[in-house]
Amino acid sequence: MSEHIAYPSNINIVNTSFLIGMPILAVTSLIYYSLNYGIGWFEPLIFVAFYLASGLSITAGYHRLFSHRTHKAAWPLKLFYALFGAAAFQNSAIKWCSDHRRHHRKTDKEEDPYSVTKGFFWAHIGWVMVDEGEEIVENVADLQEDKILAWQDRNIFLIGFLTGIMLPAVVGFALIGGIHGFLGGLVYGGFVRVVVVHHATFLINSAAHTWGTQPYSTENTSRDSPLLSFLTFGEGYHNFHHTFQADYRNGHRWYHWDPSKWLIKSASWFGLTRDLHKIPPKVIESRRMKRAFDKKTEGSEVELQTQQKFADCMAQLRSGFNELIKRRKEYKAAKLSKKSETKDSWKAIKQGHKSRIKQCKINIASAKKEFKLLVQSMKLNADTKPVTA
Ligand SMILES: [Zn+2]
Ligand SMILES: [Zn+2]
């Protein structure tokens, strides 16, 4: 009796061939090229240049600018994102954002296009390989009105081929010359780079919904995996991103590895980006504290006294941040009227402002410390409690 092997009948032939064919092409062409030409300085250079251009166009452009509107950008930057986002071969910005906005609205639900609840493989790449009924493009009217993005959507494959495949080959030809340069650009800046950018991006939908911590929310499967940020231009802080999607940063602390945030911020110094939206630290920190408390007390009854202590910590944290904002404003205003002061009196005024600001920071730090002690004491209580059946 012959077994009937079930396989999806709705395979998207174009996407599937591309996703399987491209890694094969990349590996075979890389072997062929290495045997014939070896590797010099220009192969890594062209790889990194096109990896940065296409990768950042997806993370800073498609994701943080177009999907989430976390800031505004001037048209030359939008054009850059449209050209090099196409080179990443992840569809047009309009279609990418339609899927992504649905992913945020319906995370982990049936309508989530790359829900990890359907498995790691599905979230990573499977969802691109099959057609689930009619293609839905919704909730992107704002992007469809944009002339650059509408043009990119109409010509996505041609633009991708020109900027993602032909351009690196031409750049290689210009740098090194001959078939050597042309092929080097094609293999390193084109084929290999496309595969790396693909899987780095896909990891956000699969790995960043599977491994990592949840410091801000357990409402969905999103996780913070700082390690992933090194591959994905800062997109590894995914639990933060799902909780605060209006923030242009994903790694919100200055030391968090987030090149997309650095690009957006530095572009603002040249007038290329503006209105960068940040969630106030007060909101972020109290969310983190609340989540840590909930995690600690999960499933157990919390004593009234502990609840009160926690509320006190929260109140102290909030007032610390409120005060800090006020003090900083005062200092800023004082700086504006600095000219009317003598040098010595300004020195004293400045010192006063600085020490008041410092005091606010101390208050915030002590609220955090109090909270830490509270959590630790809860652990001790739990440890010393007799075990009852
Ligand atoms: Zn997002
Ligand atoms: Zn996600």
Side-chain angles (χ1 to χ4, degrees), residues 116 120 124 202-212 223 225 228:
V116 82
F120 188 94
H124 190 74
F202 298 159
L203 279 173
I204 297 305
N205 302 332
S206 53
H209 276 270
T210 307
W211 298 302
R223 273 146 217 277
S225 338
L228 262 187

Side-chain angles (χ1 to χ4, degrees), residues 356-369:
R356 280 193 291 275
I357 287 174
K358 198 175 169 193
Q359 190 52 50
C360 296
K361 287 183 182 169
I362 291 170
N363 292 346
I364 292 168
S366 97
K368 285 185 188 171
K369 201 174 168 194

Side-chain angles (χ1 to χ4, degrees), residues 315-380:
Q316 196 188 338
L317 185 85
R318 287 206 187 104
S319 77
F321 275 114
N322 288 340
E323 189 84 350
L324 181 65
I325 294 167
K326 215 166 98 189
R327 297 295 178 209
R328 277 187 174 147
K329 264 187 198 158
E330 284 170 5
Y331 185 33
K332 216 171 170 182
K335 272 182 184 167
L336 291 175
S337 55
K338 181 178 153 182
K339 274 181 193 149
S340 57
E341 305 291 341
T342 64
K343 208 176 170 188
D344 279 343
S345 71
W346 169 245
K347 209 175 165 186
I349 292 170
K350 190 172 143 186
Q351 212 49 48
H353 281 289
K354 281 196 167 172
S355 73
R356 280 193 291 275
I357 287 174
K358 198 175 169 193
Q359 190 52 50
C360 296
K361 287 183 182 169
I362 291 170
N363 292 346
I364 292 168
S366 97
K368 285 185 188 171
K369 201 174 168 194
E370 289 273 324
F371 177 68
K372 214 173 161 182
L373 289 173
L374 175 68
V375 169
Q376 272 170 4
S377 75
M378 283 157 68
K379 187 170 182 272
L380 280 177

Side-chain angles (χ1 to χ4, degrees), residues 63-64 67-68 96 100 103-104 235 238 241-242 245 250:
H63 188 212
R64 303 194 198 179
S67 284
H68 293 294
W96 197 102
H100 191 71
H103 168 65
H104 275 272
E235 303 273 82
H238 205 55
H241 172 62
H242 267 270
Q245 52 175 298
N250 276 12

Side-chain angles (χ1 to χ4, degrees), residues 61-331:
Y62 275 32
H63 188 212
R64 303 194 198 179
L65 175 66
F66 300 138
S67 284
H68 293 294
R69 302 218 157 264
T70 64
H71 59 285
K72 293 193 178 80
W75 73 264
L77 190 59
K78 280 196 209 170
L79 182 62
F80 180 88
Y81 291 153
L83 292 174
F84 286 93
F89 291 97
Q90 297 183 15
N91 219 333
S92 69
I94 288 175
K95 297 206 173 86
W96 197 102
C97 297
S98 161
D99 286 336
H100 191 71
R101 286 178 181 177
R102 200 176 324 125
H103 168 65
H104 275 272
R105 279 199 321 276
K106 306 281 180 183
T107 315
D108 301 330
K109 302 210 174 76
E110 185 57 33
E111 299 95 319
D112 178 354
Y114 25 88
S115 168
V116 82
T117 58
K118 293 182 189 168
F120 188 94
F121 181 80
W122 173 265
H124 190 74
I125 201 168
W127 72 278
V128 193
M129 293 176 150
V130 300
D131 288 323
E132 287 193 306
E134 282 277 295
E135 185 181 36
I136 314 163
V137 179
E138 59 177 7
N139 202 23
V140 282
D142 55 328
L143 306 176
Q144 284 162 327
E145 275 169 21
D146 188 296
K147 282 198 178 84
I148 294 173
L149 296 187
W151 166 79
Q152 192 227 32
D153 188 54
R154 284 195 304 274
N155 304 287
I156 186 64
F157 294 110
L158 178 64
I159 303 170
F161 176 72
L162 291 177
T163 55
I165 304 291
M166 286 316 287
L167 186 62
V170 171
V171 172
F173 183 80
L175 285 175
I176 291 287
I179 191 80
H180 176 192
F182 187 87
L183 280 181
L186 187 68
V187 173
Y188 279 87
F191 303 154
V192 175
R193 188 264 319 157
V194 167
V195 175
V196 176
V197 172
H198 257 172
H199 288 275
T201 311
F202 298 159
L203 279 173
I204 297 305
N205 302 332
S206 53
H209 276 270
T210 307
W211 298 302
T213 56
Q214 298 191 297
Y216 304 100
S217 165
T218 47
E219 276 166 30
N220 56 59
T221 53
S222 65
R223 273 146 217 277
D224 272 12
S225 338
L227 204 64
L228 262 187
S229 289
F230 288 98
L231 278 177
T232 56
F233 308 102
E235 303 273 82
Y237 301 95
H238 205 55
N239 190 248
F240 177 88
H241 172 62
H242 267 270
T243 314
F244 304 112
Q245 52 175 298
D247 199 310
Y248 84 92
R249 308 157 304 172
N250 276 12
H252 69 100
R253 306 301 294 265
W254 65 268
Y255 53 83
H256 287 163
W257 183 264
D258 188 355
S260 308
K261 151 187 92 177
W262 295 324
L263 170 76
I264 296 165
K265 179 74 186 168
S266 44
S268 73
W269 302 330
F270 304 99
L272 286 169
T273 55
R274 63 194 154 86
D275 300 342
L276 276 53
H277 187 72
K278 271 193 207 176
I279 303 292
K282 176 177 79 171
V283 178
I284 298 173
E285 289 301 329
S286 38
R287 178 77 181 225
R288 183 191 260 282
M289 215 181 242
K290 173 87 173 70
R291 162 81 194 111
F293 186 75
D294 288 348
K295 194 179 168 191
K296 195 80 211 170
T297 55
E298 225 162 43
S300 57
E301 224 164 89
V302 187
E303 286 171 19
L304 215 63
Q305 199 191 2
T306 311
Q307 281 183 23
Q308 189 52 50
K309 274 186 186 164
F310 172 65
D312 290 346
C313 288
M314 285 283 256
Q316 196 188 338
L317 185 85
R318 287 206 187 104
S319 77
F321 275 114
N322 288 340
E323 189 84 350
L324 181 65
I325 294 167
K326 215 166 98 189
R327 297 295 178 209
R328 277 187 174 147
K329 264 187 198 158
E330 284 170 5
Y331 185 33

